[in-house]
mmCIF file of all heavy atoms in Angstrom:
data_model
loop_
_atom_site.group_PDB
_atom_site.id
_atom_site.type_symbol
_atom_site.label_atom_id
_atom_site.label_comp_id
_atom_site.label_asym_id
_atom_site.label_seq_id
_atom_site.Cartn_x
_atom_site.Cartn_y
_atom_site.Cartn_z
ATOM 1 N N ARG A 191 101.334 35.210 48.454
ATOM 2 C CA ARG A 191 101.147 34.837 47.050
ATOM 3 C C ARG A 191 101.818 35.864 46.133
ATOM 4 O O ARG A 191 102.493 35.503 45.172
ATOM 5 C CB ARG A 191 99.651 34.726 46.743
ATOM 6 C CG ARG A 191 99.358 34.372 45.299
ATOM 7 C CD ARG A 191 97.918 33.958 45.099
ATOM 8 N NE ARG A 191 96.935 34.828 45.675
ATOM 9 C CZ ARG A 191 96.163 35.658 44.982
ATOM 10 N NH1 ARG A 191 96.287 35.739 43.668
ATOM 11 N NH2 ARG A 191 95.261 36.394 45.586
ATOM 12 N N PHE A 192 101.654 37.134 46.421
ATOM 13 C CA PHE A 192 102.250 38.166 45.572
ATOM 14 C C PHE A 192 103.749 38.310 45.816
ATOM 15 O O PHE A 192 104.535 38.354 44.871
ATOM 16 C CB PHE A 192 101.546 39.516 45.786
ATOM 17 C CG PHE A 192 100.192 39.554 45.167
ATOM 18 C CD1 PHE A 192 99.079 39.166 45.885
ATOM 19 C CD2 PHE A 192 100.030 39.944 43.850
ATOM 20 C CE1 PHE A 192 97.824 39.176 45.314
ATOM 21 C CE2 PHE A 192 98.771 39.957 43.255
ATOM 22 C CZ PHE A 192 97.674 39.569 43.992
ATOM 23 N N SER A 193 104.153 38.381 47.085
ATOM 24 C CA SER A 193 105.549 38.647 47.396
ATOM 25 C C SER A 193 106.467 37.473 47.067
ATOM 26 O O SER A 193 107.649 37.675 46.784
ATOM 27 C CB SER A 193 105.708 39.040 48.864
ATOM 28 O OG SER A 193 105.267 38.000 49.709
ATOM 29 N N GLU A 194 105.956 36.273 47.078
ATOM 30 C CA GLU A 194 106.790 35.124 46.740
ATOM 31 C C GLU A 194 106.537 34.614 45.324
ATOM 32 O O GLU A 194 107.429 34.579 44.498
ATOM 33 C CB GLU A 194 106.552 33.976 47.732
ATOM 34 C CG GLU A 194 107.215 34.194 49.067
ATOM 35 C CD GLU A 194 107.102 32.969 49.954
ATOM 36 O OE1 GLU A 194 107.255 31.845 49.443
ATOM 37 O OE2 GLU A 194 106.834 33.158 51.149
ATOM 38 N N TYR A 195 105.325 34.209 45.047
ATOM 39 C CA TYR A 195 105.050 33.471 43.815
ATOM 40 C C TYR A 195 104.863 34.359 42.582
ATOM 41 O O TYR A 195 105.476 34.115 41.546
ATOM 42 C CB TYR A 195 103.875 32.520 44.031
ATOM 43 C CG TYR A 195 104.212 31.522 45.106
ATOM 44 C CD1 TYR A 195 103.740 31.680 46.403
ATOM 45 C CD2 TYR A 195 105.072 30.463 44.844
ATOM 46 C CE1 TYR A 195 104.095 30.789 47.405
ATOM 47 C CE2 TYR A 195 105.434 29.569 45.838
ATOM 48 C CZ TYR A 195 104.941 29.733 47.114
ATOM 49 O OH TYR A 195 105.303 28.861 48.106
ATOM 50 N N HIS A 196 104.014 35.376 42.660
ATOM 51 C CA HIS A 196 103.829 36.244 41.487
ATOM 52 C C HIS A 196 105.120 37.005 41.175
ATOM 53 O O HIS A 196 105.510 37.137 40.016
ATOM 54 C CB HIS A 196 102.674 37.212 41.695
ATOM 55 C CG HIS A 196 101.332 36.557 41.764
ATOM 56 N ND1 HIS A 196 101.009 35.417 41.081
ATOM 57 C CD2 HIS A 196 100.210 36.916 42.443
ATOM 58 C CE1 HIS A 196 99.757 35.086 41.330
ATOM 59 N NE2 HIS A 196 99.249 35.973 42.161
ATOM 60 N N ARG A 197 105.806 37.498 42.202
ATOM 61 C CA ARG A 197 107.071 38.206 42.005
ATOM 62 C C ARG A 197 108.092 37.294 41.324
ATOM 63 O O ARG A 197 108.754 37.684 40.366
ATOM 64 C CB ARG A 197 107.619 38.697 43.348
ATOM 65 C CG ARG A 197 108.943 39.458 43.213
ATOM 66 C CD ARG A 197 109.680 39.543 44.533
ATOM 67 N NE ARG A 197 109.918 38.246 45.151
ATOM 68 C CZ ARG A 197 110.841 37.375 44.759
ATOM 69 N NH1 ARG A 197 111.625 37.639 43.736
ATOM 70 N NH2 ARG A 197 110.985 36.217 45.384
ATOM 71 N N LYS A 198 108.197 36.078 41.806
ATOM 72 C CA LYS A 198 109.137 35.106 41.237
ATOM 73 C C LYS A 198 108.792 34.796 39.779
ATOM 74 O O LYS A 198 109.679 34.731 38.926
ATOM 75 C CB LYS A 198 109.118 33.825 42.072
ATOM 76 C CG LYS A 198 110.084 32.768 41.605
ATOM 77 C CD LYS A 198 110.009 31.545 42.505
ATOM 78 C CE LYS A 198 110.907 30.438 42.035
ATOM 79 N NZ LYS A 198 110.806 29.257 42.891
ATOM 80 N N ALA A 199 107.510 34.609 39.493
ATOM 81 C CA ALA A 199 107.080 34.297 38.123
ATOM 82 C C ALA A 199 107.434 35.426 37.157
ATOM 83 O O ALA A 199 107.754 35.179 36.000
ATOM 84 C CB ALA A 199 105.577 34.028 38.094
ATOM 85 N N LEU A 200 107.393 36.658 37.645
ATOM 86 C CA LEU A 200 107.728 37.804 36.806
ATOM 87 C C LEU A 200 109.230 38.032 36.694
ATOM 88 O O LEU A 200 109.682 38.814 35.865
ATOM 89 C CB LEU A 200 107.080 39.072 37.363
ATOM 90 C CG LEU A 200 105.565 39.118 37.302
ATOM 91 C CD1 LEU A 200 105.038 40.310 38.081
ATOM 92 C CD2 LEU A 200 105.096 39.155 35.863
ATOM 93 N N GLY A 201 109.991 37.367 37.560
ATOM 94 C CA GLY A 201 111.428 37.564 37.564
ATOM 95 C C GLY A 201 111.820 38.894 38.185
ATOM 96 O O GLY A 201 112.869 39.450 37.880
ATOM 97 N N PHE A 202 110.981 39.407 39.066
ATOM 98 C CA PHE A 202 111.233 40.705 39.694
ATOM 99 C C PHE A 202 112.119 40.510 40.919
ATOM 100 O O PHE A 202 111.826 39.668 41.770
ATOM 101 C CB PHE A 202 109.904 41.343 40.102
ATOM 102 C CG PHE A 202 109.944 42.830 40.198
ATOM 103 C CD1 PHE A 202 109.716 43.614 39.083
ATOM 104 C CD2 PHE A 202 110.228 43.448 41.403
ATOM 105 C CE1 PHE A 202 109.763 44.990 39.171
ATOM 106 C CE2 PHE A 202 110.283 44.811 41.502
ATOM 107 C CZ PHE A 202 110.051 45.596 40.383
ATOM 108 N N PRO A 203 113.200 41.278 41.046
ATOM 109 C CA PRO A 203 114.120 41.111 42.182
ATOM 110 C C PRO A 203 113.437 41.348 43.528
ATOM 111 O O PRO A 203 112.708 42.324 43.697
ATOM 112 C CB PRO A 203 115.194 42.183 41.941
ATOM 113 C CG PRO A 203 115.049 42.588 40.521
ATOM 114 C CD PRO A 203 113.627 42.333 40.140
ATOM 115 N N GLU A 204 113.676 40.463 44.450
ATOM 116 C CA GLU A 204 113.034 40.548 45.767
ATOM 117 C C GLU A 204 113.360 41.863 46.471
ATOM 118 O O GLU A 204 112.489 42.467 47.102
ATOM 119 C CB GLU A 204 113.469 39.369 46.635
ATOM 120 C CG GLU A 204 112.746 39.296 47.953
ATOM 121 C CD GLU A 204 113.089 38.037 48.734
ATOM 122 O OE1 GLU A 204 113.974 37.269 48.312
ATOM 123 O OE2 GLU A 204 112.459 37.829 49.778
ATOM 124 N N GLY A 205 114.581 42.335 46.350
ATOM 125 C CA GLY A 205 114.985 43.568 47.015
ATOM 126 C C GLY A 205 114.311 44.810 46.481
ATOM 127 O O GLY A 205 114.292 45.849 47.137
ATOM 128 N N ASN A 206 113.756 44.727 45.279
ATOM 129 C CA ASN A 206 113.078 45.871 44.665
ATOM 130 C C ASN A 206 111.560 45.753 44.723
ATOM 131 O O ASN A 206 110.860 46.524 44.087
ATOM 132 C CB ASN A 206 113.484 46.010 43.190
ATOM 133 C CG ASN A 206 114.939 46.340 43.031
ATOM 134 O OD1 ASN A 206 115.595 46.773 43.962
ATOM 135 N ND2 ASN A 206 115.465 46.127 41.842
ATOM 136 N N PHE A 207 111.066 44.787 45.474
ATOM 137 C CA PHE A 207 109.630 44.505 45.487
ATOM 138 C C PHE A 207 109.023 44.844 46.841
ATOM 139 O O PHE A 207 109.567 44.510 47.882
ATOM 140 C CB PHE A 207 109.386 43.023 45.186
ATOM 141 C CG PHE A 207 107.934 42.658 45.084
ATOM 142 C CD1 PHE A 207 107.251 42.820 43.908
ATOM 143 C CD2 PHE A 207 107.254 42.159 46.188
ATOM 144 C CE1 PHE A 207 105.907 42.484 43.807
ATOM 145 C CE2 PHE A 207 105.917 41.830 46.101
ATOM 146 C CZ PHE A 207 105.250 41.990 44.904
ATOM 147 N N SER A 208 107.891 45.486 46.793
ATOM 148 C CA SER A 208 107.130 45.779 48.007
ATOM 149 C C SER A 208 105.655 45.642 47.665
ATOM 150 O O SER A 208 105.185 46.250 46.706
ATOM 151 C CB SER A 208 107.434 47.198 48.485
ATOM 152 O OG SER A 208 106.653 47.505 49.615
ATOM 153 N N TYR A 209 104.951 44.830 48.402
ATOM 154 C CA TYR A 209 103.523 44.625 48.155
ATOM 155 C C TYR A 209 102.713 45.320 49.233
ATOM 156 O O TYR A 209 102.928 45.115 50.420
ATOM 157 C CB TYR A 209 103.184 43.129 48.135
ATOM 158 C CG TYR A 209 101.703 42.872 47.990
ATOM 159 C CD1 TYR A 209 101.073 43.092 46.777
ATOM 160 C CD2 TYR A 209 100.938 42.450 49.073
ATOM 161 C CE1 TYR A 209 99.706 42.882 46.636
ATOM 162 C CE2 TYR A 209 99.579 42.234 48.933
ATOM 163 C CZ TYR A 209 98.973 42.447 47.713
ATOM 164 O OH TYR A 209 97.626 42.242 47.574
ATOM 165 N N ILE A 210 101.804 46.164 48.799
ATOM 166 C CA ILE A 210 100.892 46.845 49.715
ATOM 167 C C ILE A 210 99.489 46.412 49.330
ATOM 168 O O ILE A 210 98.983 46.781 48.278
ATOM 169 C CB ILE A 210 101.025 48.376 49.612
ATOM 170 C CG1 ILE A 210 102.460 48.784 49.929
ATOM 171 C CG2 ILE A 210 100.039 49.050 50.545
ATOM 172 C CD1 ILE A 210 102.769 50.234 49.656
ATOM 173 N N GLY A 211 98.891 45.590 50.158
ATOM 174 C CA GLY A 211 97.561 45.066 49.858
ATOM 175 C C GLY A 211 96.474 45.905 50.501
ATOM 176 O O GLY A 211 96.726 46.748 51.363
ATOM 177 N N LEU A 212 95.281 45.678 50.055
ATOM 178 C CA LEU A 212 94.123 46.346 50.635
ATOM 179 C C LEU A 212 93.546 45.459 51.712
ATOM 180 O O LEU A 212 93.240 44.304 51.474
ATOM 181 C CB LEU A 212 93.062 46.612 49.564
ATOM 182 C CG LEU A 212 93.492 47.521 48.423
ATOM 183 C CD1 LEU A 212 92.389 47.604 47.382
ATOM 184 C CD2 LEU A 212 93.847 48.893 48.941
ATOM 185 N N GLN A 213 93.399 45.983 52.871
ATOM 186 C CA GLN A 213 92.816 45.236 53.974
ATOM 187 C C GLN A 213 91.401 45.738 54.219
ATOM 188 O O GLN A 213 91.180 46.928 54.346
ATOM 189 C CB GLN A 213 93.653 45.404 55.246
ATOM 190 C CG GLN A 213 95.058 44.860 55.122
ATOM 191 C CD GLN A 213 95.079 43.360 54.906
ATOM 192 O OE1 GLN A 213 94.276 42.620 55.461
ATOM 193 N NE2 GLN A 213 95.984 42.900 54.072
ATOM 194 N N SER A 214 90.477 44.825 54.274
ATOM 195 C CA SER A 214 89.102 45.190 54.583
ATOM 196 C C SER A 214 89.038 45.665 56.030
ATOM 197 O O SER A 214 89.678 45.128 56.915
ATOM 198 C CB SER A 214 88.199 43.976 54.395
ATOM 199 O OG SER A 214 86.882 44.305 54.683
#
Side-chain angles (χ1 to χ4, degrees):
R191 179 167 48 106
F192 286 90
S193 60
E194 284 187 41
Y195 299 101
H196 293 328
R197 180 198 55 76
K198 182 179 177 181
L200 293 171
F202 205 87
E204 186 174 6
N206 295 343
F207 184 85
S208 177
Y209 176 73
I210 301 171
L212 298 175
Q213 297 296 323
S214 180

